[in-house]
Amino acid sequence: MKKRCILLKNLTKIVIIDRGVVMEEKLLALASRIRENVLVKGDLELIHQFFFCYSEDQSDFDILVVLAGSSLNRIEKAVQLYQKKPCPILISGGAVSADGVREWERYSCYALEHGVKSTDLIIEAQSNNTYENLFNSIQLIDCKRLNHGKVLFISSAQHLFRVSLTLLQVLEKVPLQIHYMFCAVYAKNMRRETFLFSDSGRREIASELEKIVQYQLFPYLN
């Protein structure tokens, strides 16, 4: 019986590895076709499913989690939602921008200047990548006992696909029961109708697919 269990475990590992290799190849091949703008049948449907299924319009939330970036458009969206329904805003981002200011500082300044109460701001200042953004944010939500509400994660449209997969990875390590949703911020070159006509848009989409492979997130695609 013991030998059989070991054999079954080994076979399971082989299946997972084989599936991973196949998935890696498919995602990297798709990324290459996007960069070269030579899509084949079925590619556009996959791209739309991966990157353009997130809503811009959300009204049902109790806490906003903003994954900070170089552009202010994510905090702009959060402030718009806050003005409709005041609630805690968790800003996550410790990276330093080109001007030497940390992401969370730029975002919190914008929020305060546009009517967000300081008591409604929660700052996560340590993270330098998407995994840390989510891991540290989930820890804060747990620490401040905010997990009873509906959590809305806000990021750019092209980033949210990786965010959603990474969140599943994080919740395996931090088994916190939360009700979560996603809100997309769409730049002009990153809309469903326009990204194919933009070199920068195609590059960003391709880069996100490559990062999913790099961070080994393909098991969460089921």
Side-chain angles (χ1 to χ4, degrees), residues 96-133:
V96 180
S97 59
D99 56 5
V101 179
R102 292 190 179 277
E103 291 173 339
W104 71 265
E105 292 179 292
R106 294 175 65 241
Y107 272 44
S108 60
C109 285
Y110 181 93
L112 292 170
E113 289 170 0
H114 290 80
V116 177
K117 295 179 181 178
S118 59
T119 52
D120 284 335
L121 285 181
I122 303 168
I123 304 301
E124 187 289 293
Q126 305 303 316
S127 59
N128 288 295
N129 58 50
T130 300
Y131 183 87
E132 292 176 358
N133 282 140

Side-chain angles (χ1 to χ4, degrees), residues 34-35 158 187-190 194-207:
I34 293 170
R35 284 185 186 279
Q158 68 273 23
K188 289 182 180 179
N189 67 328
M190 285 304 306
T194 59
F195 86 96
L196 275 178
F197 305 103
S198 164
D199 289 339
S200 61
R202 291 197 307 275
R203 283 197 303 270
E204 288 189 49
I205 291 289
S207 175

Side-chain angles (χ1 to χ4, degrees), residues 148-162:
H148 62 278
K150 297 176 182 177
V151 183
L152 183 63
F153 291 91
I154 301 173
S155 192
S156 57
Q158 68 273 23
H159 187 217
L160 274 182
F161 180 39
R162 181 156 54 96

Side-chain angles (χ1 to χ4, degrees), residues 40-132:
V40 299
K41 184 178 179 180
D43 282 354
L44 205 54
E45 183 180 346
L46 265 181
I47 295 166
H48 290 169
Q49 181 183 340
F50 288 162
F51 296 101
F52 299 104
C53 64
Y54 303 99
S55 175
E56 294 177 83
D57 302 313
Q58 296 282 356
S59 58
D60 190 15
F61 54 84
D62 300 299
I63 175 173
L64 303 173
V65 177
V66 189
L67 306 183
S70 57
S71 170
L72 286 173
N73 58 1
R74 301 177 190 184
I75 190 63
E76 288 171 359
K77 183 66 177 181
V79 169
Q80 289 172 12
L81 293 172
Y82 176 90
Q83 289 169 346
K84 295 177 182 178
K85 183 182 178 181
C87 67
I89 299 179
L90 194 164
I91 298 173
S92 174
V96 180
S97 59
D99 56 5
V101 179
R102 292 190 179 277
E103 291 173 339
W104 71 265
E105 292 179 292
R106 294 175 65 241
Y107 272 44
S108 60
C109 285
Y110 181 93
L112 292 170
E113 289 170 0
H114 290 80
V116 177
K117 295 179 181 178
S118 59
T119 52
D120 284 335
L121 285 181
I122 303 168
I123 304 301
E124 187 289 293
Q126 305 303 316
S127 59
N128 288 295
N129 58 50
T130 300
Y131 183 87
E132 292 176 358

